[in-house]
Amino acid sequence: MDSDAGQWSHLPKDLLAKIAGRLDTRIDFLHFRGVCSSWMSSVSPTFPRKNPILSLKLPYPIASNANLNICDPDTRNPHGSFSLIESTLYYLQPLRQTPDSKEALLVKLEEPKPGKGRLMDTLSRCAIQHLPKNFPKVLNTLNFRVREVGKAYGLRFFDVRGKPITSFEFKSILIKKVIMFSKGDEYGLMMIHIRGRLALWRLGEEKWSLIDDGAEKSHFDDVIYYKGRFYAIDYKGRIVVIDADSLKATELASPVHGSRGTHKHFVESFGELFLVDKYLDDELQIFCNDYSDIVADVPDYPVHFEVFKFIEEEQKWDWVSDIGDRVLFVGDDRTFSLSSTDFPGFKGNCVYFTQDCFCEEDDDRPGFDAGIFDLEERIAGPLSAFPGILVVDFPLALRIA
């Protein structure tokens, strides 16, 4: 065994560099460097970024204010450019824990520059401002089983001096959602402006292309890149499919029946596409009326979710009440799905989300606005209402009780 280990430690540096160059995630790269001293010295300590868009200045403005439906005559466009910001979601399990323990951490980390990171709220694009005094300064990944869950993206505006601007005074820089896509060697971005318009940019292009979806005035809630095409949904439940090459938008023949909630999210889960519809107060009553044969009474809580599954062969959406061990997460900048079987500690057949109604006065604890909707029990509540499932510990970290 020792002789085998010795042989691995003496692999040529050029071969080790080629192996490291094929690693897709930072965690795999860190584990590679942790094998032995020779492997560590064979590569740079900084994980090489493979996303060519991250280092670029992106075009601004997206379009004229008139095309973006910004009617305020006082709206003006500042001078500067956009930059793509990437955050990574990690799931961590301590290597040393008792057999009955189910501790785990769900962490979201943004790295504006290589080696410079900051913790972000797991289900929003907000940075954590106040860390607990006992929050660890260094997280040794060798002490955890680490899995990369996914990435989230945003556009940040910088003026000509390189200073970030986030003022709501400039409506033209406010971006609701950004997704990155790649097709072979082609990279690009699809975004939803705060006014609800869709625009696409490809690497190498000098300007954004507004998507003409055929409607006089569109206001989209969400967009996702699924099997080589874009799916976008507006606040009324109207769905359009956009070809990635021609940018031609086609409305789905079968609109989502009953999807009349406040906000809609697409979630890709194990190769299948789901639509998560959020209902608040009056919208919940409408849904219960539409499905009166299934839902007996209007539940006595402020938020409710319904889930629809895309039947690709029939190009339609079916309402579902059971998603098995899937866990759906709906956030401001990204949606994602996990299996409660593969990721212990999360409750299957549930939707995890954030909602202001869970906030208490002067409450700034981590996860203070996070909640769960149980599709089986058809109840929603803050994390604290589900004992034994999740107890919020550190910012961006959900410690499983």
Side-chain angles (χ1 to χ4, degrees):
M1 182 67 69
D2 292 340
S3 61
D4 290 341
Q7 291 177 5
W8 282 108
S9 65
H10 288 89
L11 288 176
K13 283 195 173 183
D14 58 342
L15 177 59
L16 291 174
K18 289 181 179 180
I19 295 173
R22 293 181 176 272
L23 301 177
D24 294 325
T25 70
R26 178 181 301 278
I27 296 304
D28 289 341
F29 183 77
L30 292 175
H31 287 166
F32 174 90
R33 296 188 73 243
V35 170
C36 62
S37 59
S38 62
W39 286 40
M40 178 179 292
S41 62
S42 68
V43 294
S44 166
T46 304
F47 179 64
R49 290 189 173 187
K50 298 184 178 181
N51 185 339
I53 302 179
L54 289 173
S55 59
L56 300 179
K57 292 183 178 180
L58 305 180
Y60 174 83
I62 295 167
S64 69
N65 290 339
N67 287 334
L68 288 174
N69 297 326
I70 300 176
C71 302
D72 185 352
D74 295 329
T75 296
R76 53 197 176 92
N77 293 331
H79 297 287
S81 60
F82 284 118
S83 288
L84 183 67
I85 303 298
E86 181 182 79
S87 301
T88 306
L89 281 157
Y90 297 105
Y91 176 84
L92 301 88
Q93 284 181 295
L95 292 178
R96 297 180 180 179
Q97 54 181 330
T98 62
D100 296 331
S101 176
K102 293 183 179 180
E103 289 187 343
L105 303 173
L106 186 61
V107 177
K108 185 177 177 184
L109 184 66
E110 177 190 295
E111 288 188 280
K113 297 179 180 179
K116 299 288 184 180
R118 63 173 180 169
L119 292 173
M120 307 294 291
D121 184 77
T122 311
L123 294 178
S124 80
R125 57 177 62 91
C126 299
I128 298 298
Q129 301 296 332
H130 305 289
L131 295 174
K133 293 181 179 179
N134 60 339
F135 190 83
K137 301 298 182 183
V138 177
L139 189 64
N140 189 344
T141 58
L142 295 179
N143 296 329
F144 293 86
R145 181 177 293 107
V146 184
R147 301 170 70 176
E148 184 175 311
V149 174
K151 295 185 181 295
Y153 296 95
L155 288 179
R156 190 165 297 160
F157 183 82
F158 293 84
D159 64 17
V160 292
R161 298 170 297 176
K163 179 181 178 181
I165 296 179
T166 57
S167 173
F168 283 89
E169 173 187 359
F170 304 108
K171 296 183 178 64
S172 58
I173 71 172
L174 302 180
I175 308 302
K176 185 176 182 179
K177 178 76 175 281
V178 177
I179 59 173
M180 196 194 80
F181 68 94
S182 61
K183 190 176 181 181
D185 295 331
E186 179 185 18
Y187 288 81
L189 303 173
M190 176 73 86
M191 54 79 70
I192 305 178
H193 186 264
I194 194 67
R195 293 290 186 175
R197 291 297 305 273
L198 289 168
L200 180 138
W201 173 85
R202 293 188 180 92
L203 182 62
E205 295 182 343
E206 296 182 356
K207 63 179 182 179
W208 294 82
S209 299
L210 285 180
I211 305 300
D212 181 6
D213 61 287
E216 182 178 348
K217 190 175 182 179
S218 300
H219 199 293
F220 287 97
D221 262 0
D222 199 12
V223 63
I224 193 171
Y225 187 63
Y226 177 70
K227 294 187 176 181
R229 300 196 296 177
F230 298 99
Y231 290 75
I233 185 167
D234 68 12
Y235 69 101
K236 293 181 179 179
R238 172 177 170 264
I239 297 176
V240 296
V241 183
I242 304 162
D243 182 81
D245 296 320
S246 66
L247 302 188
K248 181 181 178 181
T250 305
E251 188 171 345
L252 279 184
S254 302
V256 179
H257 174 65
S259 177
R260 303 177 185 176
T262 304
H263 196 88
K264 298 155 180 56
H265 297 273
F266 286 122
V267 184
E268 183 175 355
S269 177
F270 305 103
E272 297 181 308
L273 186 60
F274 289 84
L275 173 65
V276 179
D277 201 17
K278 178 192 287 187
Y279 291 77
L280 294 173
D281 302 330
D282 293 341
E283 290 83 5
L284 179 55
Q285 178 66 64
I286 293 174
F287 176 85
C288 291
N289 292 338
D290 287 344
Y291 290 90
S292 57
D293 57 330
I294 300 174
V295 181
D297 300 303
V298 178
D300 186 22
Y301 37 80
V303 61
H304 183 86
F305 286 87
E306 295 301 334
V307 178
F308 300 83
K309 180 181 177 181
F310 184 49
I311 310 301
E312 191 172 5
E313 297 79 9
E314 303 176 37
Q315 291 290 288
K316 70 173 187 175
W317 298 83
D318 281 352
W319 179 77
V320 294
S321 60
D322 190 338
I323 56 174
D325 72 341
R326 302 176 203 251
V327 187
L328 306 183
F329 296 82
V330 292
D332 292 342
D333 56 354
R334 178 180 169 80
T335 63
F336 60 99
S337 172
L338 300 177
S339 162
S340 59
T341 303
D342 296 335
F343 292 82
F346 294 105
K347 183 174 174 59
N349 204 27
C350 286
V351 178
Y352 286 65
F353 63 100
T354 60
Q355 185 61 41
D356 292 342
C357 64
F358 298 139
C359 303
E360 299 178 3
E361 187 176 0
D362 299 326
D363 192 353
D364 61 352
R365 60 186 170 83
F368 67 95
D369 61 347
I372 304 174
F373 182 80
D374 189 316
L375 286 168
E376 179 180 2
E377 300 294 334
R378 307 195 68 78
I379 58 173
L383 297 183
S384 57
F386 292 81
I389 301 299
L390 287 173
V391 176
V392 178
D393 188 3
F394 292 137
L396 305 192
L398 302 178
R399 183 177 293 278
I400 313 307

